[in-house]
Every structure is written in structure tokens, then in C-alpha cells.
Amino acid sequence: MAIPPVLLILSVLLFFLLRYITQKKRPPPATKHLPPGSMGWPYIGETFQLYSNNPNNFFAEKQRKYGAVFKTHILGCPCVMVSSPEAARFVLVTKANLFKPTFPASKERMLGPQAIFFQGGDYHARLRRLVLRAFMPEAIRRKIAGVEEIAVRVLSSCDGRFINTFQEMKTYALNVALLSIFGKEEQSCIEELKQCYYILEKGYNSMPMNLPGTLFHKAMKARKQLGFLVAKIISSRRDSEAKTDQFDAGDLLASFMESKEALSDDQIADNIIGVIFAARDTTASVLTWILKYLAENPSILQAVTEEQEEIRRSKGKIEGDEEGGLNWADTKRMPVTCRVIQETMRVASILSFTFREAVEDVEYEGYLIPKGWKVLPLFRNIHHSPENFPDPAKFDPSRFEKSPKPNTYMPFGNGTHACPGNELAKLEILVFLHHLTTKYKWSISGSKSGIQFGPFALPLDGLPIKIDSLAEKN
Ligand code: HEM
């Protein structure tokens, strides 16, 4: 029997009312010391103000009105937002033990509850050691040839086409992530794994309703299948290890499997899927912004191209020469390109903020942050403060000729949960830009400019471009 709409609306209102009342049961102990700010409507809080507009405008406006530490209420949660380098450091580094990572339960279920992002304490420290071991420079330098092969393949597949930059960069970032996780083996499972991952991704931001036919349901099924596939890969690796008595320690799966404090197959699967998730859209968004900023700043593009051509020449790579051949030392001779990456990550600040939750009542600068409240360090506000970066809206890579002030630049986060994949991300961007700038030209198609959030900040429509090879440079 269909439920009458009025009854449905009343039940929803009743649900919100009950949640509101139950939340109110535990008032913050010393309301007068809460940071300044507004909490909006009961339960709904200021969610609409945040999402009806560019969220960055919401954060900037609040900071202008209330200062660097302010309270608000979004998505059913009371929050304190912090936008000074000192406050972000307090939350992420010096008092990190008082603030735990927090995600909606549906996201935890989908990625895998034992994945690194959701953890603290000993288990987190153990996972971090294993992840860092696979992504430290000594490990990833062995992957350069593989990364380069992927970059060359993706670029040549784009040649002469109108492309959605973000979609193509996602293909690149996914292939690099899979290479760094599984190495070159197990290719037979990788195609199926990718197909399942695409379904998971589609359902990730959907309503968490696990009913047949919904995107969420399909995603949860795909997640289960991903678990099976990873288990299959683990078992085939165990077999080949037994046969050959050799173990390639250069990838993440090997790092997890070689651990003395063994991880279960489920723990490995949760963390592998989590790393794919962390590695893909982030790197693809940054690359998309770089292509936009370079296209809009011809003199900067020229400087990058000259730097990359110099490397190509110095390696004897002239007309008709074979592809590839970058090595770790080459990637350390790219200061102009590195500054473009740094400045892109500052201006675009693709992760505008992160979430934590206070595990007890915490006092900061005379303000109370009550236990259970969400705490959001606002990376983008820090990156766009004129005190930290003069003329902050201007894309000016030369500002990184000098190091930024301490704790003012955090594109990869800070403290115990800071990004362990940052070296790999930088490496894959450099390799891609080397081949792009020395062999291709591109132009932005359409005149629409703007930002979309999905959830990372992205040029509108994923930045449609036309890309063509510079045949004379090959
Ligand atoms: C340019 C690309 C990337 C950006 C901007 C980025 C940014 C970040 C940030 C800001 C955090 C910290 C989040 C927090 O404190 O809540 C983080 C965590 C993480 N990132 Fe990245 N990331 C990128 C690429 C990658 C790649 C390529 C990998 C793996 C290969 C990776 C793996 C991870 C993991 C596993 C964590 C969780 C660490 C933990 O909880 O201890 N990321 N990333």
C-alpha cells in the first residue's frame, strides 16, 4: 500500500524533531565559551547556505564575519571550523589525539571499515608504516618506467580529440594507482576490478538506501565483488611466492602481505580499495587544474615547456627517438614545473577542508569545542589568506621560489593522517607534464568558466579541451 504524502512528510518532520530533541539532551557544558558563529535552523542548520552556493564563499564569508574560529551546524552536526594555520596545526598535529577522523557510516561501509582513513591508535600506525613503505621515494622510483608508459598511452589516445580532461586524467590516475598497488602482474583480474570500481564510484555519493535497483545497492554489490577479486589476487600471489620463493616488495600489496604483524585478507582489501579511492580523483583534479592554468598563462606554459625540452635534449631525445627513459634524477631537475604544481594545489585547494571529531571537551584559545562536535580545518582559507600568500587569487608559481611560512601550506594535509601518497602524486604529475608539454598542444573548448564540486573542486564540466600532437617535436 502506498504511503500518503502527508504522512510521509509528517514522519520526516517527526524524525528530525526527535533527533533534535535527543541531541539537545546533552547541552554543551559551557555554552558561553563556544566560538562565535550561527547555528541556523534546528537540525538543518546552515546546510542550505553551504551547498546552495560555492562552499568556499560560505567559509570565506563566515571567517570575515566571525574570525578564524567559528561555529556552525551542517548536515545534522554541530561544527567548529578553524581557518588559521595555528588552529589547524592544533587539530591535526599537536592535539591530534583529541580529534578523531570521522566519516558517515555509509561511506565507511562502502570503502571498507578497516581502511586507514577511519583509524587511530596502534592499528592506524601499523597501516601507515606499510602504506608509507610502498610509496616512499625508494619504492616509487622503480615505477617510473611503468608510470611513463601509462602517460604516453593516455596521451596518444587523446590525440586529435575533444576530451573531458578530468575523465581522461581519472583514467591515468587509476592506472598509476593500480600499478603502484599490484605491480604489473595480475592483469587478468585488473580489468574486472576496474569495472567494479566504476560501479562503486557511481554509488559513492548516492542516497545510502540499500534497496535493489538503487545506485547504493549496486555499489555495495560491486564492493563485495571487489573484495573477492582482491582475495583472488592475494591467493595467486601466495601461490607464486610458494613456487618461486620470490616476492616483489615494490608495491602496496607486497607491503601488506609481507607484514610481520599479518593483516587479514579483509583488512588488505579495505585498504587497497581505500587507497584507490584516495589516489584517483585527487590526482586527476590537480592535473585538470594544471592544464587549465597553463592554457590560461602562456608565459608560464612556455617556461615549463622549455624546462621539459631541456631534459629531453639532455637525454638525447630528439626526433624519432624511442619513448620513455625519464629517471628519478630527471624528476629532480624540474623546479619550474614543481612550482606550477605547488601553486595549482594552493589556488585550487581541491580539498577545501577535512573533518575531525572532538573525542572529549577541548579548549582552544579560550573557546570550548564540545565532545562529539565536528571540527573542520579549512585548508583553502589558509591557502587564500593574503597574510600567508599576498594577492592570493593570482596564479603565480614564482611565489614558491621562497618557502611558505610554516603550517600555511597543506595541500596534502598535516600530522598523523597527512597524505602518504604525496610523492607518487607529484611523480605522476611531473611525468605526465613532461610528455604533454614536449609533444602536445591543447586549447580549452567553450567559454564557460567556473567551479564544480564532485566532491573535489574541479573546473566546470571537467574542463573540455582539444588536444593535438606537435608532430614536428617528436
Ligand atoms: C594530488 C593528489 C593528492 C592530494 C591533493 C591528496 C590529499 C590528501 C590529504 C589532504 C589527505 C589528508 C586528509 C585528512 O587529513 O583528513 C590525504 C590522505 C591520504 N591520501 Fe592523499 N592526496 C593525493 C594523492 C594521493 C595518492 C596518489 C595516494 C596513494 C597512492 C593517496 C593516499 C592517501 C591515503 C591512504 C590517505 C589517508 C592517510 C591516513 O589516514 O593516514 N593520496 N590525501
Side-chain angles (χ1 to χ4, degrees):
M1 193 183 68
I3 305 170
V6 177
L7 207 60
L8 201 66
I9 293 167
L10 280 176
S11 338
V12 172
L13 287 174
L14 191 66
F15 169 76
F16 281 154
L17 191 68
L18 283 174
R19 287 236 10 202
Y20 179 61
I21 292 165
T22 36
Q23 275 182 359
K24 286 242 137 175
K25 268 189 188 159
R26 185 188 170 277
T31 313
K32 64 179 188 289
H33 293 307
L34 287 172
S38 50
M39 303 298 273
W41 290 86
Y43 192 73
I44 296 163
E46 300 190 306
T47 310
F48 290 134
Q49 286 95 317
L50 175 70
Y51 287 108
S52 61
N53 203 309
N54 174 341
N56 294 329
N57 296 347
F58 175 86
F59 301 136
E61 174 60 18
K62 289 278 177 191
Q63 185 184 346
R64 198 188 52 71
K65 215 160 157 187
Y66 299 115
V69 180
F70 55 88
K71 67 172 184 289
T72 178
H73 194 282
I74 52 167
L75 298 170
C77 309
C79 305
V80 171
M81 298 190 173
V82 301
S83 61
S84 71
E86 299 75 26
R89 184 173 156 75
F90 177 83
V91 174
L92 298 173
V93 186
T94 44
K95 296 288 175 197
N97 57 321
L98 302 180
F99 300 96
K100 64 174 186 189
T102 167
F103 289 79
S106 61
K107 310 277 185 224
E108 280 196 31
R109 270 168 69 205
M110 201 175 278
L111 288 184
Q114 304 186 78
I116 185 166
F117 327 97
F118 314 126
Q119 314 302 325
D122 289 348
Y123 176 57
H124 176 256
R126 193 168 125 208
L127 286 173
R128 235 182 124 75
R129 270 196 305 278
L130 301 177
V131 174
L132 280 167
R133 176 163 74 154
F135 295 130
M136 64 187 174
E138 291 69 34
I140 57 170
R141 65 198 302 164
R142 289 194 262 160
K143 303 277 180 230
I144 297 183
V147 172
E148 200 166 15
E149 213 179 293
I150 299 169
V152 168
R153 205 169 53 230
V154 167
L155 278 165
S156 83
S157 77
C158 296
D159 190 8
R161 288 173 49 216
F162 285 94
I163 60 160
N164 175 313
T165 310
F166 183 54
Q167 289 308 324
E168 299 297 334
M169 296 305 107
K170 276 169 66 156
T171 303
Y172 175 57
L174 178 61
N175 286 327
V176 172
L178 293 173
L179 173 77
S180 66
I181 293 168
F182 297 115
K184 283 201 161 183
E185 282 101 62
E186 288 101 17
Q187 284 306 320
S188 55
C189 282
I190 295 292
E191 226 10 80
E192 197 183 344
L193 197 138
K194 279 186 193 170
Q195 297 310 320
C196 291
Y197 187 78
Y198 298 143
I199 302 173
L200 177 89
E201 190 187 38
K202 266 202 197 126
Y204 184 76
N205 283 323
S206 63
M207 281 277 285
M209 274 192 317
N210 205 355
L211 296 174
T214 60
L215 283 178
F216 187 83
H217 184 73
K218 287 180 189 157
M220 290 306 291
K221 262 174 78 180
R223 172 62 186 81
K224 205 167 167 191
Q225 183 60 15
L226 280 167
F228 289 138
L229 288 169
V230 174
K232 199 166 143 189
I233 296 174
I234 294 174
S235 131
S236 98
R237 230 185 230 201
R238 281 198 187 111
D239 284 354
S240 64
E241 184 199 5
K243 272 185 223 131
T244 62
D245 212 19
Q246 272 179 9
F247 212 47
D248 171 14
D251 56 49
L252 183 64
L253 179 58
S255 183
F256 285 151
M257 290 179 67
E258 270 188 345
S259 163
K260 287 198 187 69
E261 319 120 291
L263 295 178
S264 69
D265 287 7
D266 279 350
Q267 287 172 325
I268 295 180
D270 287 7
N271 280 287
I272 280 180
I273 293 156
V275 165
I276 298 175
F277 182 81
R280 189 185 185 208
D281 285 19
T282 47
T283 314
S285 311
V286 171
L287 267 163
T288 304
W289 282 107
I290 294 178
L291 265 66
K292 177 176 161 63
Y293 292 138
L294 287 179
E296 290 171 350
N297 294 276
S299 61
I300 298 173
L301 172 60
Q302 175 73 18
V304 170
T305 308
E306 279 167 15
E307 178 172 86
Q308 296 300 337
E309 279 181 338
E310 177 50 36
I311 288 170
R312 202 168 143 81
R313 268 195 301 277
S314 74
K315 299 179 73 69
K317 291 209 157 296
I318 28 182
E319 285 171 42
D321 202 355
E322 64 188 29
E323 295 293 353
L326 281 177
N327 58 38
W328 187 252
D330 295 328
T331 64
K332 300 291 154 202
R333 292 193 287 141
M334 302 180 177
V336 176
T337 319
C338 281
R339 289 198 287 271
V340 166
I341 299 173
Q342 285 175 299
E343 177 68 341
T344 300
M345 290 199 290
R346 183 194 70 80
V347 180
S349 290
I350 59 147
L351 264 100
S352 306
F353 58 87
T354 188
F355 276 102
R356 295 289 187 272
E357 184 181 308
V359 295
E360 56 185 68
D361 287 348
V362 182
E363 198 190 312
Y364 177 71
E365 302 251 302
Y367 293 132
L368 171 77
I369 304 176
K371 178 179 174 187
W373 280 39
K374 308 289 178 202
V375 182
L376 283 72
L378 301 179
F379 298 133
R380 192 176 195 282
N381 288 39
I382 297 171
H383 293 164
H384 280 252
S385 153
E387 276 171 38
N388 307 329
F389 298 96
D391 199 359
K394 185 173 174 203
F395 182 77
D396 177 12
S398 73
R399 69 172 86 237
F400 282 95
E401 283 165 13
K402 264 184 22 206
S403 297
K405 291 186 213 159
N407 304 306
T408 59
Y409 183 63
M410 289 170 278
F412 291 109
N414 202 359
T416 34
H417 287 273
C419 181
N422 74 89
E423 288 290 345
L424 177 67
K426 286 184 271 185
L427 176 77
E428 64 182 289
I429 295 173
L430 287 173
V431 169
F432 189 87
L433 291 178
H434 174 76
H435 287 277
L436 176 73
T437 56
T438 55
K439 295 188 224 149
Y440 294 85
K441 62 180 179 185
W442 69 100
S443 54
I444 299 174
S445 35
S447 55
K448 278 199 277 175
S449 66
I451 302 185
Q452 68 188 52
F453 294 86
F456 303 120
L458 202 63
L460 207 59
D461 298 331
L463 190 70
I465 61 168
K466 169 89 192 314
I467 184 159
D468 290 291
S469 72
L470 296 166
E472 70 276 13
K473 284 196 174 178
N474 286 316

